[in-house]
Amino acid sequence: MKIGVFCSANDNIDAIFFKETEQLALWAAQNGHDIVCGGCNMGLMECVARTAKKAGGRTIGIVPVIVEERGRVSDWIDIHIPCVDLNDRKQLMMEWSDVFVALPGGIGTLDELFSVVAMATIGYHTKRVVLYNINGSWDSLVAMLDDLKAKGMVRGDWKEHIAVAATLEEVVLNCVK
């Protein structure tokens, strides 16, 4: 399985996020799954690639030109797929990934998450999307989605498209369904 990982490229975040990212990457590598990520050498993006690679896993980095020009490409990428911009990156991640895990992240992570989920809601794919709620990092997003549902802004149940997992075990269960 190819696991598309959306996550923060920031280094100055709580250590628990790095620890749990390492555990996800170790599980993936030890079970023969590839990691598909943005290929940047910062934050959780670097952590997931480095940990998977060191554990014998295969890593696929989909790297926008601007990241390359700034010298921010991870050294832990086995397959380097250049792309034009973030829209191109999202499309290529869709093509290369079988399932998606959204680790804690910021605006870029939200953009990736919601692009993939929006495509699922109108039938472009049926790939699973798991929101890894490490240390409650996505609690406010879950509350917002529930609020949007309560106000009638979301058709159906958003949980049909996004599984929320609080532990690695829950992530694994949702990835291998």
Side-chain angles (χ1 to χ4, degrees), residues 144-163:
M144 182 191 74
L145 289 168
D146 284 340
D147 184 56
L148 289 171
K149 170 66 179 152
K151 291 177 178 167
M153 300 297 173
V154 176
R155 281 187 307 276
D157 185 359
W158 64 266
K159 292 176 183 168
E160 291 175 16
H161 302 288
I162 304 171

Side-chain angles (χ1 to χ4, degrees), residues 96-147:
W96 278 82
S97 301
D98 301 312
V99 62
F100 298 93
V101 176
L103 295 167
I107 293 170
T109 302
L110 290 169
D111 174 48
E112 292 165 331
L113 169 70
F114 283 117
S115 289
V116 168
V117 172
M119 287 194 280
T121 64
I122 56 176
Y124 283 106
H125 69 87
T126 58
K127 297 177 183 186
R128 290 175 306 284
V129 178
V130 182
L131 191 63
Y132 192 178
N133 194 19
I134 298 169
N135 209 27
S137 59
W138 293 119
D139 284 352
S140 58
L141 179 63
V142 169
M144 182 191 74
L145 289 168
D146 284 340
D147 184 56

Side-chain angles (χ1 to χ4, degrees), residues 78-89:
D78 292 308
I79 299 173
H80 178 161
I81 302 170
C83 61
V84 176
D85 56 26
L86 296 178
N87 287 323
D88 193 25
R89 177 198 263 174

Side-chain angles (χ1 to χ4, degrees), residues 5-63:
V5 177
F6 304 137
C7 59
S8 176
N10 288 329
D11 290 315
N12 297 322
I13 57 177
D14 194 299
I16 188 70
F17 301 129
F18 289 97
K19 179 182 177 235
E20 295 301 321
T21 297
E22 288 171 352
Q23 294 304 308
L24 172 67
L26 283 171
W27 168 80
Q30 291 168 351
N31 288 279
H33 305 301
D34 296 341
I35 294 290
V36 181
C37 64
C40 184
N41 66 359
M42 296 167 29
L44 299 181
M45 217 179 297
E46 176 76 342
C47 179
V48 72
R50 179 184 61 242
T51 305
K53 183 70 177 148
K54 282 186 173 183
R58 186 170 77 154
T59 57
I60 302 163
I62 302 179
V63 187

